[in-house]
Amino acid sequence: MGLGKVYLVGAGPGDPKLITVRGLEAIRRSDAIVYDRLAGPQLLGEARPDAEKVYVGKRPDRHTMKQEDINQLLVDLALKGKTVCRLKGGDPTVFGRVGEEAELLRRYGIAYEIIPGITSAIAVPAYAGIPVTHRDMASSFSVITGHESPDKLDKSIYWDKVTNATGTLLFLMGVAKIGYISEQLIKHGRPPETPVALVRWGTRAEQATLTGTLADIERKVKETGFEPPAVIVVGEVVRQRETLRWIENKPLFGWRVLVTRARSQASELSGKIDELGGEPYEFPVIETRLPQDPATIGRIEAALRDAESYDWVVLTSVNGVEYFFKWLYACSVDVRRFHRASFAAVGPKTAEALKERGILPDVLPEKFQAEDLLASLKDKLRPGQKALLPRGDLARKLLPDELRAMGLTAVELDVYETAMAAAKDEILPELLKEGGIHVVTFTSSSTVTNFMAALRQSGIEDPPALLRGAEIACIGPVTARTAEEHGLKVTIMAETATLDGLVAAMVERRRELLKQAAYDPKAGGV
């Protein structure tokens, strides 16, 4: 067995989209991921399903792993021939102790690469609307550790030189020492009225900013209970925040939204949430797949061979369209053989999926449930007609039952199966317990059922109690009923059963909560 290789990767300040392309490639090719709390947890979803994930940050039942032990862990994994990604928050060379890790790897003859990341020293102020340089205010900046005790700070920082060496001063990990830092800067020449900003958990849903001056910032920190981790910005550039703050103006800013859709479909909803300033957190609890049962396959093949016999083809989901055409291809059935059939679709997305395949639906109800489709079809259906219903194995029986009651022959085809995804996420239960998930979205009844099952499998005995502090968002009344049957209180429901409708409902709910005087802004990361 040969030696493995270690990638020392900067994950950026927290927003998973701020990872570099090279860093993302390293995550995807590695056999093992060694990560800490400052690395965006969503990035772990980019790892291979079989990759080993080792958390070396702080847990409620365990303190942070010592740096010497982390160094040795990287060596041990590489000695087993594994490709390892050491995922660090920010940039690994900026107070990331990458030198210690690389030095031990070099001693063992293990190949490594250092992949820079976007440092929080620059990115976090930017997300708060503070550029670290400005042509009229600051032409240079310094990055300084603020984590050490005052006596160590005095040994590592030459206050007389640092104070006025550059226009902007950036202290990392210094909230607990803010009083001492301010005192030293004033003592060595910075005016007491110099603007200061503290930005906590920058680029994440919990981002919060506190501004003041060197003279009053310590008092403000104590009065507001402002806690680390945060980047401290000292300098005239802080004044730019009033005009340049941007992400806080987005309607979903401050909300981390759990997306439970299948991984293949999650990106669309996640993208909409991200565009509106929310932080999507993907936890797919369902997956769709082709049926494997020989009897089911035989029924599909037989039904498609009779393509010319159908008067109607009724499609109720995008998945139904996609898998219907997969079976047409697999069975070598030309869609033109359905020449006598009219096509009906439930919902604009289903209709769009049909249009992409060259078929314009003959019937598209204004609302997006089976009941509405039946109302739209009522005057067009005739006893003796034959309808094909390509759908999933968990679809409701309402539509075929009603068609049969009207005298039609309804042929149900389970063209795909919905199964529980084998989602593993050690961080999600902790986030839920800490109130770190602000909204849980459900786009189908199966996402509700599987999500609750996944929580129980992870050791959570009472999922409804755990979710009591989160907003529960459902795409429609059927999904909402399922959520309520599981003991959840639905607080957000789309007026139209589409992703756009769901997102619009979330935006409206967010506005309502921010207007309520009793609403605690800290709960939403404002």
Side-chain angles (χ1 to χ4, degrees):
M1 181 189 301
L3 294 178
K5 181 175 181 177
V6 178
Y7 293 97
L8 303 164
V9 179
D15 183 339
K17 288 191 174 181
L18 295 181
I19 186 78
T20 64
V21 173
R22 193 170 185 83
L24 191 59
E25 290 175 347
I27 293 172
R28 289 171 174 169
R29 69 165 61 106
S30 292
D31 303 304
I33 312 293
V34 178
Y35 66 101
D36 55 42
R37 191 181 184 191
L38 292 177
Q42 296 94 321
L43 290 173
L44 298 178
E46 298 293 337
R48 298 200 323 255
D50 62 334
E52 180 182 359
K53 300 179 182 69
V54 184
Y55 180 66
V56 294
K58 187 176 182 179
R59 291 189 188 282
D61 59 344
R62 189 196 75 194
H63 292 296
T64 307
M65 184 182 287
K66 293 180 180 179
Q67 184 61 47
E68 294 78 7
D69 295 332
I70 296 174
N71 300 345
Q72 190 60 50
L73 173 64
L74 299 178
V75 169
D76 293 343
L77 289 169
L79 289 176
K80 294 177 182 177
K82 293 188 175 185
T83 299
V84 183
C85 175
R86 170 67 174 112
L87 199 58
K88 298 168 165 286
D91 180 278
T93 66
V94 180
F95 306 127
R97 307 186 78 166
V98 73
E100 299 170 43
E101 294 172 351
E103 175 60 25
L104 190 62
L105 293 170
R106 186 193 65 79
R107 272 191 244 158
Y108 278 85
I110 297 168
Y112 63 87
E113 286 187 22
I114 299 175
I115 300 178
I118 298 176
T119 175
S120 60
I122 296 173
V124 167
Y127 266 58
I130 303 172
V132 296
T133 63
H134 188 282
R135 185 170 63 175
D136 299 325
M137 298 178 183
S139 59
S140 58
F141 63 89
S142 299
V143 181
I144 309 152
T145 180
H147 190 54
E148 306 289 358
S149 59
D151 60 325
K152 288 186 178 180
L153 281 177
D154 287 341
K155 291 179 182 178
S156 59
I157 299 174
Y158 297 97
W159 291 104
D160 57 333
K161 294 181 173 61
V162 165
T163 300
N164 297 297
T166 58
T168 303
L169 303 179
L170 302 159
F171 291 87
L172 304 188
M173 306 170 289
V175 175
K177 312 297 186 306
I178 187 62
Y180 185 77
I181 291 171
S182 298
E183 176 188 328
Q184 292 303 311
L185 293 178
I186 293 172
K187 178 181 177 180
H188 290 88
R190 284 278 171 131
E193 63 273 15
T194 301
V196 181
L198 278 65
V199 189
R200 177 177 62 212
W201 286 119
T203 79
R204 300 188 183 208
E206 295 88 354
Q207 178 176 316
T209 303
L210 179 68
T211 58
T213 65
L214 286 176
D216 64 16
I217 193 64
E218 181 183 19
R219 173 179 58 81
K220 288 186 174 183
V221 167
K222 291 178 179 178
E223 289 177 350
T224 59
F226 197 91
E227 297 179 347
V231 173
I232 301 170
V233 188
V234 179
E236 293 301 312
V237 292
V238 172
R239 301 186 191 280
Q240 290 289 295
R241 170 171 162 74
E242 292 307 311
T243 55
L244 299 185
R245 56 197 299 176
W246 58 280
I247 196 166
E248 294 158 49
N249 297 329
K250 292 192 173 188
L252 290 182
F253 168 74
W255 265 3
R256 180 176 291 110
V257 183
L258 192 68
V259 177
T260 57
R261 298 188 91 200
R263 188 176 300 280
S264 60
Q265 298 175 316
S267 59
E268 183 180 2
L269 179 55
S270 294
K272 294 177 185 295
I273 294 166
D274 179 74
E275 185 63 25
L276 293 174
E279 181 183 318
Y281 190 107
E282 294 183 5
F283 182 71
V285 295
I286 62 172
E287 61 181 8
T288 58
R289 62 194 184 196
L290 291 168
Q292 303 299 313
D293 177 50
T296 300
I297 295 172
R299 285 193 295 271
I300 293 172
E301 293 173 340
L304 295 183
R305 281 197 298 268
D306 289 337
E308 293 85 358
S309 68
Y310 297 103
D311 302 284
W312 291 94
V313 176
V314 183
L315 293 146
T316 56
S317 69
V318 173
N319 281 334
V321 174
E322 292 179 353
Y323 281 91
F324 175 57
F325 277 85
K326 283 183 179 180
W327 281 111
L328 291 181
Y329 178 81
C331 297
S332 299
V333 175
D334 192 320
V335 72
R336 289 174 295 183
R337 290 179 57 190
F338 290 88
H339 59 86
R340 62 174 282 188
S342 296
F343 279 74
V346 175
K349 291 295 183 181
T350 306
E352 185 179 320
L354 274 173
K355 289 176 183 177
E356 289 173 355
R357 291 161 175 83
I359 297 174
L360 298 178
D362 299 280
V363 178
L364 178 63
E366 291 184 5
K367 294 186 178 180
F368 315 133
Q369 295 186 83
E371 291 87 342
D372 303 300
L373 179 62
L374 284 168
S376 299
L377 287 171
K378 188 174 181 180
D379 296 334
K380 301 177 178 63
L381 299 176
R382 299 288 181 270
Q385 289 183 328
K386 188 176 180 182
L388 180 66
L389 285 72
R391 44 208 222 134
D393 61 329
L394 300 182
R396 292 192 296 159
K397 294 294 184 180
L398 174 70
L399 189 55
D401 287 350
E402 288 294 322
L403 290 176
R404 291 181 185 118
M406 297 168 68
L408 282 79
T409 299
V411 179
E412 300 174 69
L413 283 191
D414 294 343
V415 292
Y416 68 93
E417 296 176 344
T418 301
M420 184 172 176
K424 292 183 180 179
D425 189 327
E426 296 180 358
I427 296 175
L428 180 59
E430 185 179 338
L431 272 176
L432 288 168
K433 291 174 184 175
E434 295 174 350
I437 297 295
H438 308 109
V439 187
V440 180
T441 61
F442 295 117
T443 55
S444 67
S445 291
S446 56
T447 58
V448 178
T449 303
N450 288 1
F451 179 62
M452 302 301 275
L455 292 183
R456 290 189 175 90
Q457 287 180 9
S458 67
I460 296 170
E461 296 181 0
D462 190 357
L466 185 65
L467 298 173
R468 205 159 286 149
E471 302 289 324
I472 304 299
C474 294
I475 201 167
V478 175
T479 303
R481 281 196 296 273
T482 304
E484 289 166 352
E485 289 167 0
H486 281 274
L488 303 179
K489 181 181 178 182
V490 177
T491 54
I492 300 171
M493 190 168 74
E495 289 190 10
T496 57
T498 64
L499 294 185
D500 286 334
L502 182 61
V503 171
M506 283 193 281
V507 169
E508 183 58 32
R509 176 64 173 168
R510 180 69 168 144
R511 286 174 181 156
E512 290 175 4
L513 290 174
L514 290 174
K515 288 178 182 177
Q516 294 174 10
Y519 178 59
D520 179 7
K522 291 182 181 178
V526 176

